[in-house]
Amino acid sequence: MLDYIIDDFTSFRIACDDKSVGAMIVCKTNEQARKLYALWNERYDLALSVIEKKKEEIALMAAEKLMHYNASFFEKPLKASLILHDEGDKKERKEYIVDYKKNMATDFLIVNKMLLTGFDANRLKKLYLGRKLDGHDLLQALTRVNRPYKDFKYGYVVDFVDIKENFDATNDRYLRELNKTTDDPTLNLPANPGQAIIENPEEVERQIKELTNFLWNFPTENYEEFRKVIDEFDDKEPLYRLRKILEDAKGLGNRIRSSGNEELQDKYKNMLPGGIPVLLREVDRRIATIHFKEGNDHSEDVSGMINAILDSLDFEFRKGISEELKIIINSLQEEVEKVRAEFDANFDKKEDKFVNLIKEFKKYFREHGYIPKDKTEAEAEDSIFYLKDVMKKIKEINRKNRVLKAHYKDDERFVRIHKRIVEENAKRDQSDKKEKPLLSKEEFEIQRSLIEIKESADYLFEKNPGIVENEDKLRKDILGSVSHKFMDLDLTASLDDRKFISNLISNEYIHQYNSYGV
């Protein structure tokens, strides 16, 4: 069963062209969940060792063989976390959930009874049911995969235990209850709500015809020709329309596959000989390129640009270029992947040094392009040298973050608060107003004071975890807590300074709550 799940979910991600979606496995017992998790880790470790061995083999390959490999060949295997009420402590379980919901460092959650109700993770789009559920519990579990996420209209369930009878009975009870409580005859509720997503075959055929008619204007059979055509567009509007059409085609394909109608599936396959995910990536790449050339990309991260760079490099890798340049482009891909990983590891996207590095990175590739313009080894090596320099800078930023994180007992929120205070003090030091620094001009003294304030704030939340739901009360109570702690520490500060610090703290707690609800 486990091998099937891994293969099925890997195929699911490829079909969706989205590596960010996650999954959950619901086991029959805690013991079964532990066994499944142990087997998972065995496969995970084995896959990692195979990847390392392949890397060693490829390092010794001749240039003509190397061309068959690129950075995506070495993607890490799927990772899982075990969430049980009698496994680990509350803090550990919370970290697993944050890794899944916010950090996306985990692909699967393995559970028994936990997280089936009240757990909202928008990226959860596939549920593997290994035990039967009834009534309200069944509906709650199924709706875990129904949260809005990107262009997904619904989630998917793989049923290992035949829940159809329970599902039909639960739907029937739900429908009867709903009919009792509504007097609106216009609702026209279906006899079986589960049939609502099944498409009318004639309507689907009409949609396929419309999509085929539009896409016929593009050489979708040949990726290289398709890229050449869309690279001639300098206006984003027709590209937006093309992307919408491709996304509609992708969604239609998902619905057709879910319906099980083989005749419709055959017609859908004939509509697009090429793969929709590849075409969508090409359109997104061109839109991103236009954005960067126009200088309109002001996002805090570089994920869009890095994806465009990697797609461009991968495309060039598969084309007719010299074997020597293929080796260098492969090295360039690896450097880009390393830089992306280091950028992703940063947890303070507002730090001045980080923001400036992002701007510098975008400026470089906006001016030099994603690939060597003249396709020479010297140009590619210049880009590799530049990426190594960026890597050095971002690693130093992240190293300092880790040191600060240790000082704050692994609390990233107070690392960011600490740095905003340091930045504010730097501005005050350069100002003509000669304002007094916040807390202290020395970082170690800032940390000593903030760690005391942190304990006071944490205690406030321990007493009343629901306080974060009332923003006005939260800010008022945090300000009071900060003011009292200033008195305890014999610190003098104006009301504006105390508000500045308390707002930093409040904003962190509010952002955490809004982001992932823990």
Side-chain angles (χ1 to χ4, degrees):
M1 183 178 82
L2 180 56
D3 290 332
Y4 169 81
I5 290 173
I6 293 173
D7 290 343
D8 177 72
F9 188 68
T10 301
S11 300
F12 176 69
R13 276 187 168 177
I14 293 171
C16 296
D17 189 29
D18 193 337
K19 297 177 184 177
S20 71
V21 292
M24 177 185 286
I25 303 173
V26 182
C27 296
K28 188 174 183 180
T29 64
N30 283 7
E31 191 56 38
Q32 184 192 51
R34 289 192 184 92
K35 180 64 175 176
L36 192 70
Y37 182 61
L39 291 172
W40 189 294
N41 285 334
E42 287 179 10
R43 284 161 173 76
Y44 181 85
D45 292 340
L46 177 61
L48 281 182
S49 66
V50 169
I51 289 173
E52 289 305 315
K53 185 177 179 182
K54 281 290 181 186
K55 283 184 177 180
E56 293 174 5
E57 292 175 359
I58 289 171
L60 302 174
M61 275 187 176
E64 64 271 13
K65 292 184 179 180
L66 183 62
M67 64 178 286
H68 298 295
Y69 297 92
N70 56 46
S72 63
F73 182 80
F74 303 112
E75 288 179 5
K76 286 186 178 180
L78 298 172
K79 186 177 181 182
S81 291
L82 179 66
I83 308 285
L84 301 173
H85 73 275
D86 58 353
E87 187 77 24
D89 55 25
K90 184 177 180 181
K91 181 182 177 182
E92 188 177 343
R93 289 194 293 271
K94 179 179 176 180
E95 288 173 352
Y96 288 150
I97 291 171
V98 171
D99 264 352
Y100 183 83
K101 293 175 69 172
K102 179 190 175 189
N103 301 333
M104 296 193 185
T106 303
D107 306 289
F108 269 80
L109 293 176
I110 300 175
V111 305
N112 174 15
K113 295 182 179 179
M114 294 192 73
L115 306 186
L116 297 184
T117 61
F119 174 69
D120 291 327
N122 292 13
R123 66 183 290 242
L124 174 53
K125 283 293 141 199
K126 198 142 194 183
L127 185 68
Y128 295 87
L129 281 179
R131 74 178 177 90
K132 288 194 174 184
L133 299 165
D134 295 305
H136 179 72
D137 290 341
L138 176 59
L139 289 181
Q140 283 288 314
L142 294 180
T143 55
R144 294 312 97 203
V145 296
N146 238 12
R147 298 297 186 262
Y149 188 66
K150 297 184 178 180
D151 61 344
F152 285 86
K153 294 185 178 179
Y154 39 77
Y156 298 83
V157 177
V158 177
D159 177 16
F160 290 112
V161 290
D162 192 10
I163 62 167
K164 185 178 185 304
E165 185 177 342
N166 287 349
F167 179 67
D168 289 343
T170 300
N171 265 338
D172 185 57
R173 289 197 302 271
Y174 170 77
L175 184 62
R176 286 202 302 270
E177 191 64 32
L178 191 62
N179 282 329
K180 287 179 185 177
T181 57
T182 181
D183 298 322
D184 188 352
T186 64
L187 287 179
N188 193 25
L189 298 170
N192 184 357
Q195 295 297 318
I197 65 168
I198 302 300
E199 298 278 354
N200 178 293
E202 289 77 16
E203 173 62 18
V204 171
E205 288 188 27
R206 184 191 66 78
Q207 292 178 35
I208 291 175
K209 189 174 181 180
E210 283 185 3
L211 292 170
T212 304
N213 185 51
F214 181 86
L215 294 171
W216 184 83
N217 295 293
F218 298 87
T220 55
E221 305 90 344
N222 186 305
Y223 299 147
E224 187 170 343
E225 290 302 319
F226 181 79
R227 168 179 279 224
K228 288 179 181 177
V229 169
I230 66 170
D231 276 351
E232 294 176 358
F233 285 89
D234 292 319
D235 183 3
K236 296 188 292 291
E237 289 307 316
L239 292 171
Y240 287 145
R241 186 182 177 206
L242 176 57
R243 182 170 66 183
K244 176 66 167 58
I245 292 293
L246 288 170
E247 287 173 345
D248 289 345
K250 179 180 169 183
L252 180 63
N254 289 336
R255 295 195 297 277
I256 291 173
R257 280 190 290 271
S258 299
S259 73
N261 188 317
E262 293 183 2
E263 184 180 346
L264 288 177
Q265 288 178 20
D266 289 339
K267 290 182 178 180
Y268 177 79
K269 289 176 183 176
N270 293 330
M271 177 180 72
L272 271 177
I276 291 180
V278 177
L279 301 178
L280 271 171
R281 279 201 301 273
E282 288 299 327
V283 175
D284 285 336
R285 175 198 58 79
R286 182 57 188 163
I287 292 172
T289 301
I290 295 173
H291 270 303
F292 296 135
K293 284 183 177 178
E294 293 175 346
N296 293 330
D297 181 58
H298 304 295
S299 59
E300 292 177 343
D301 60 46
V302 292
S303 58
M305 175 175 274
I306 286 180
N307 287 336
I309 294 170
L310 287 171
D311 285 344
S312 297
L313 290 172
D314 187 58
F315 186 80
E316 288 298 319
F317 196 91
R318 290 183 271 110
K319 285 174 60 179
I321 57 177
S322 69
E323 298 303 328
E324 292 79 8
L325 190 54
K326 278 179 180 173
I327 294 173
I328 294 175
I329 285 183
N330 186 69
S331 299
L332 186 54
Q333 283 179 306
E334 290 180 355
E335 290 300 325
V336 173
E337 288 282 13
K338 290 176 185 177
V339 168
R340 168 159 61 183
E342 205 64 38
F343 271 123
D344 289 345
N346 183 278
F347 57 81
D348 183 14
K349 302 290 191 286
K350 293 183 179 179
E351 181 183 1
D352 291 341
K353 289 181 181 178
F354 183 84
V355 172
N356 290 334
L357 186 59
I358 291 284
K359 290 178 181 177
E360 175 193 314
F361 183 85
K362 290 181 177 181
K363 184 173 183 289
Y364 177 88
F365 281 100
R366 192 176 288 127
E367 292 176 352
H368 293 79
Y370 301 149
I371 57 175
K373 291 177 183 175
D374 297 323
K375 298 183 181 177
T376 64
E377 295 175 35
E379 284 182 300
E381 287 173 346
D382 284 345
S383 292
I384 291 174
F385 180 81
Y386 173 73
L387 286 167
K388 287 182 181 295
D389 184 57
V390 170
M391 187 70 171
K392 182 180 178 181
K393 292 175 181 177
I394 186 61
K395 285 185 80 170
E396 178 61 15
I397 290 173
N398 289 344
R399 184 194 67 78
K400 290 181 177 179
N401 282 349
R402 289 193 294 272
V403 171
L404 270 178
K405 188 175 176 180
H407 285 317
Y408 285 101
K409 302 177 182 178
D410 288 338
D411 194 328
E412 294 176 1
R413 298 168 304 185
F414 274 81
V415 172
R416 291 188 286 266
I417 292 166
H418 177 108
K419 289 160 74 176
R420 297 299 84 79
I421 290 174
V422 170
E423 290 167 355
E424 174 64 20
N425 286 345
K427 292 176 185 176
R428 293 186 178 193
D429 188 51
Q430 296 173 4
S431 172
D432 295 333
K433 295 181 180 179
K434 302 300 180 184
E435 291 179 279
K436 182 181 177 182
L438 293 166
L439 296 177
S440 171
K441 65 179 181 179
E442 303 294 343
E443 284 202 53
F444 75 91
E445 290 182 343
I446 293 173
Q447 185 269 336
R448 286 178 181 174
S449 298
L450 272 183
I451 204 73
E452 295 279 348
I453 294 171
K454 167 179 159 55
E455 290 177 1
S456 181
D458 287 344
Y459 178 69
L460 184 68
F461 278 86
E462 285 176 13
K463 285 197 307 180
N464 184 9
I467 191 175
V468 73
E469 296 175 8
N470 186 336
E471 185 174 326
D472 290 338
K473 179 171 174 51
L474 169 69
R475 293 188 182 278
K476 182 179 178 181
D477 287 0
I478 289 288
L479 177 59
S481 176
V482 168
S483 297
H484 280 103
K485 187 53 66 175
F486 265 63
M487 292 169 59
D488 294 343
L489 297 173
D490 199 23
L491 294 170
T492 58
S494 67
L495 177 60
D496 285 343
D497 284 356
R498 282 179 277 132
K499 281 184 176 179
F500 182 91
I501 294 172
S502 67
N503 280 335
L504 289 175
I505 297 170
S506 300
N507 290 342
E508 284 292 340
Y509 280 100
I510 291 167
H511 175 71
Q512 175 179 295
Y513 177 76
N514 290 336
S515 296
Y516 46 95
V518 293

